[in-house]
Amino acid sequence: MTSQLPADGEPASRDAAPWRNTRLSPAERAEALLPLMSVEEKVAQLFGVWVGAEATGEGVAPHQSDMIDGAPPWDTIIRYGLGQLTRPFGTAPVDPVLGARSLAASQEQIVATSRFGIPAQVHEECLTGFAAWQATVYPTPLGWGASFDPELVEEMAGRIGASMRAAGVHQGLAPVLDVTRDYRWGRTEETIGEDPYLVGTTGAAYVRGLEDAGVVATLKHFAGYSASRGGRNLAPVSMGRRELADHILPPFEMALRLGGARSVMNSYAEIDGMPAAADEDLLTGLLRDEWGFTGIVVADYFAVRFLQTLHGVAEGAADAAHLALRAGIDVELPTVDAFGDDLVKAVRAGEIDEALIDRAARRVLIQKIELGLLDEGWRALPDDVAALRLDDEVGRDIAVRLARESVVLLRNTGVLPLPVAGRVALVGPLADDPMAMLGCYTFPNHVGVHHPDHGLGVEIPTLRDELARRVPLLTHEPGCAVTGEDTSGIPAAVAAAANADVCVLAVGDRAGMFGRGSSGEGCDAADLRLPGVQADLVRAVLATGTPVVLVLMTGRPYALGPEFDTAAAVVQAFFPGQLGGQALAEVLTGAVYPSGRLPVSMPRDAGGLPGTYLSPPLGRRNKVSSIDPTPAYPFGHGLSYTTFEWSDATVVTPVDADRDETAPWPVDGEVRVRITVHNTGDRAGTEVVQLYLHDPVAQTTRPVNRLVGFARVPLDPGARAHVTFGVPADVTSFTGRTGRRVVEPGAVELRFGRSSGEMAEALPLRLTGAERQVGHERELLTSVRIEPLVAVPHSA
C-alpha cells in the first residue's frame, strides 16, 4: 500500500497508522511516517523550545540573552509539531506535581496541533540529580570519581532516572565525560577526573543507571572541551590526534559500548581550527561510521548559531544550520533559532539538501518511537503524578553513602578522628554555608539563586550543623568570605583557633556561573591559589600552633605548597551534595572511616602550568627544567584510619611465573594478576587497590603510569583478601606511529599502586606476538575479583 501525503495543514488519520504499529521496528515505523511529513513538519522535529527562558542576562547558558531575543510565540512555534521541550522543571522553581501537570498540558497542546500527534521529547539537566526544585542533590562528578565506586554511581543514576521519568522527562543532559586536562578550567568540578579509565568506567555506570530507568543519557561534551588553552571556557584547543584518541575519546567509547547511551552532545570547542559542531569527521565519520552510534546528536545550547557568532565559520543562520546538519547534529537546543524559518526557506530554495533534514528527522523519530511517544494509548500525564516526590529517603540514603565515599583524607598526623570531648574551633567561610556542598549544576545554585524567596527546596545541613551535633564544645568564626579582599574577620578566627584544642578550618569554592562564583561554568581561574584572602586565613590560623584540620570544599584541586605542610590533617571534599555536611562530620569524628581517593592530583605550585599525572618522562621532574611539577598529593592518593599491608603480588595466568621471571602475555590474550591485601590496624577500612600499566619502550611516548584497573576492598580489622585483575591485552593499546591504535609487543609492567605516585608491587611481563591493530570493538575493561581469605587457626 502506498502512503498518500495529506495536504499541508490537513489532519492526518491516526487510526491504524503504520507508524503506531508496535509490531514494526522503530526504524520501520519512522520510515512509514517520514514521507508523509512536509519540510516544515520535519524541521519542527529538529529543534527544542525553552519557553521559560530568562532574557535578563542572568541566565544559565552562555550568551543566552542574545540567543532567545525575539523568539516566536508558543502557538507559532508548535504549529508544525515540536522536537523537544527544554527544561520545564529546570528553569524556575516549580512544585513537582504542578510542574508535571503543566508539562502534560503543554504536551497535549503539541499533540493536538501536530497532524501526526507527535509529542515533544522532554530533556532536563541531571548531572548532580534531577535539576528541579525539591529534588535530591547528589555529590558532584569529581566526588563520583573520588569514590572509585562505579556501582554506587550507577545506583545513584538509576534513582535520578526514575524520578525524571515519573515527572514526564525523557532525556537527561549527563554525564560529563570530559577528562580533566587543566584544573584552572571552571568546569573541572563537572568532570569525573583526570584519568580516562576512571572517567570511562564511572561514566558508563552512570549511563547504565539512567538508561535502565528509561531515560536517554546524553554524553557531553564531544570532544576536547576540557583541554582549552589556559583553562579558559570555550577557548581553542591545542591538541594532536594522539592526545585526542588516547586521553579524550576513550570515556565516550566506554559509555556508548558499556553503558548504551542514546544521545551525544557536541563540544563548544574547536580543535585545530575546526569547531566540533561543524566537524563531520568527528560527529559522523568517527561517531557513526566507525563507532556505529545510531542515536541522536544534540547541539549544546546555542552551539549551532555560535558557528556564526563566535567561531566565524558561517555567514548566517541557514549557513550555520547547514554546517551543523552536514556534520551530524540532529537537534538544535535549547530553542529554535538556526533550525527555524531560515532553514526551511533554504531547503525550499534548493540551497540545502532535504536529505540532510530527512536523516536527522529519521533519527529523532526513531528515538521518540523507542521511548513509546508514538504508541497508541500514550498519555502525557504519568499515572501516579499525585504521589510524585523528588527527594525521599531512598535518594537521600544514596546521596549520603556516595558523599561518605567521596571524602578524601590527604594527610593525618593523628589528630583525626576528632576528640569529641575537646574544645573544637570551626572556622572558615564554608563552615556554615549550605551552598558549600553544591556544584554549579545543582538546582539551588544553577537556578534557585535567582529565586531566593523559594528557598533551597531541600534541607542542606552545613558542616557546622552536623559537627555541633557531635562535638559539644564547638565554637565558630567565619574569618573571611570565599572571594573578596576583606580580612577584618581573620583576627576573630585566629582567637577562636588559639583557644581551642583543635581547629577545623573549612575553605574552598563557591560555585556559580559566568563569573558569579569561584568555580563553575565560565568561572575559570588564573592560577591555583585559594580564592580571595582564604590563604591568608589559613596561614594565620596555622601560625597559632593549634593543631589544624584543613577541610577543602572545592570544585577543583588547589595548590597545597610548603606553607600548608604544618596542617595536622588535610581533608578534601568535592562539592559533596545536600548531605555532604553529614558525611564530612561523620568522617571527621570517626563515625565513618575515609575511603575516597583523589580523582585529580593536588598540585604543589599554584602558578605553574597544571599537568595531570598522565605524563611521559619529560613531563615529570627532570634535569632540563627548573620547574618541578611533582604534585603535593598524586592522583589516586587517599588515607584511612587503619593500615593496610600488600603482599604476594603474582602473575596467575598465563603462567605461574617466579617473581624474578618475565611472564609472557599474548597480544591477543589476557593476563591475570593477584595481590593480597591485609588490614593490619584495629579499625575497619576500605583500601582502594589501583593497577597501573608501565610501558618503558614504545613507538610513541607513553605516560610513565596509566590506570588500567581498580577495586574497592572493604576489610575488617585483621582481615585479608586476594584481589585479582584480569587484564586484556587490548587495554595496553595506544595510538601508534601511523595513527592507528595498536597493541605493541614488548616489555611492560603491571604495577599495584596505592596511588599513581606510590607503587607497592610491580610485575614484569612481555607482550608476545605480532603487533596487533585494534579498533572500537576492542576489550575495554579489566575484570576484578575479590576473594576474602579465612584465617587458619594455629595448631595446638
Side-chain angles (χ1 to χ4, degrees), residues 187-395:
R187 302 189 78 167
T188 295
E189 64 172 70
E190 298 178 51
T191 72
I192 297 169
E194 67 183 44
D195 179 85
Y197 189 84
L198 177 65
V199 175
T201 51
T202 307
Y206 180 97
V207 169
R208 284 193 300 273
L210 207 65
E211 290 279 357
D212 287 349
V215 173
V216 174
T218 304
L219 311 182
K220 58 187 194 181
H221 306 86
F222 194 65
Y225 188 24
S226 57
S228 56
R229 293 177 191 162
R232 296 178 61 244
N233 198 38
L234 273 67
V237 173
S238 300
M239 177 184 291
R241 59 180 179 175
R242 288 185 179 85
E243 183 178 0
L244 183 72
D246 291 344
H247 296 286
I248 301 298
L249 295 179
F252 292 94
E253 291 185 86
M254 296 174 81
L256 290 172
R257 279 191 49 206
L258 307 177
R262 289 180 284 172
S263 181
V264 171
M265 175 181 278
N266 74 279
S267 162
Y268 285 132
E270 61 175 84
I271 301 177
D272 195 23
M274 176 58 69
D279 193 342
E280 188 172 1
D281 289 340
L282 178 71
L283 299 182
T284 297
L286 177 69
L287 181 62
R288 294 192 184 277
D289 296 343
E290 186 174 334
W291 289 0
F293 177 67
T294 59
I296 62 170
V297 175
V298 299
D300 202 346
Y301 284 14
F302 311 115
V304 177
R305 178 70 81 160
F306 285 174
L307 294 174
Q308 174 198 355
T309 60
L310 299 185
H311 294 295
V313 298
E315 292 185 2
D319 192 23
H322 190 193
L323 288 175
L325 284 164
R326 188 175 64 191
I329 287 179
D330 302 310
V331 178
E332 180 182 34
L333 297 180
T335 201
V336 58
D337 178 43
F339 278 22
D341 290 341
D342 287 346
L343 175 57
V344 173
K345 291 174 184 176
V347 174
R348 292 284 191 198
E351 298 167 358
I352 296 177
D353 189 349
E354 190 173 349
L356 289 176
I357 307 298
D358 290 348
R359 183 177 72 173
R362 181 180 296 108
R363 293 167 181 163
V364 168
L365 292 173
I366 287 173
Q367 188 156 106
K368 287 190 173 186
I369 291 167
E370 290 173 346
L371 289 166
L373 300 183
L374 272 69
D375 290 355
E376 292 286 359
W378 175 84
R379 296 179 58 197
L381 192 65
D383 292 335
D384 55 350
V385 67
L388 181 62
R389 298 291 182 272
L390 302 183
D391 181 40
D392 58 18
E393 290 185 7
V394 175

Side-chain angles (χ1 to χ4, degrees), residues 720 787-793:
R720 296 184 304 145
E787 302 170 87
L789 299 178
V790 179
V792 179

Side-chain angles (χ1 to χ4, degrees), residues 606-631:
L609 181 66
T612 73
Y613 92 97
L614 289 169
S615 296
L618 284 176
R620 295 190 166 206
R621 181 182 180 179
N622 56 59
K623 296 180 180 180
V624 299
S625 173
S626 60
I627 295 177
D628 181 1
T630 305

Side-chain angles (χ1 to χ4, degrees), residues 100-111:
R101 295 187 186 278
S102 175
L103 172 58
S106 297
Q107 289 279 41
E108 287 166 358
Q109 284 182 284
I110 294 166
V111 168

Side-chain angles (χ1 to χ4, degrees), residues 183 239 292 329 481 486 502 703 711 760:
Y183 312 135
M239 177 184 291
I329 287 179
D486 185 4
V502 63

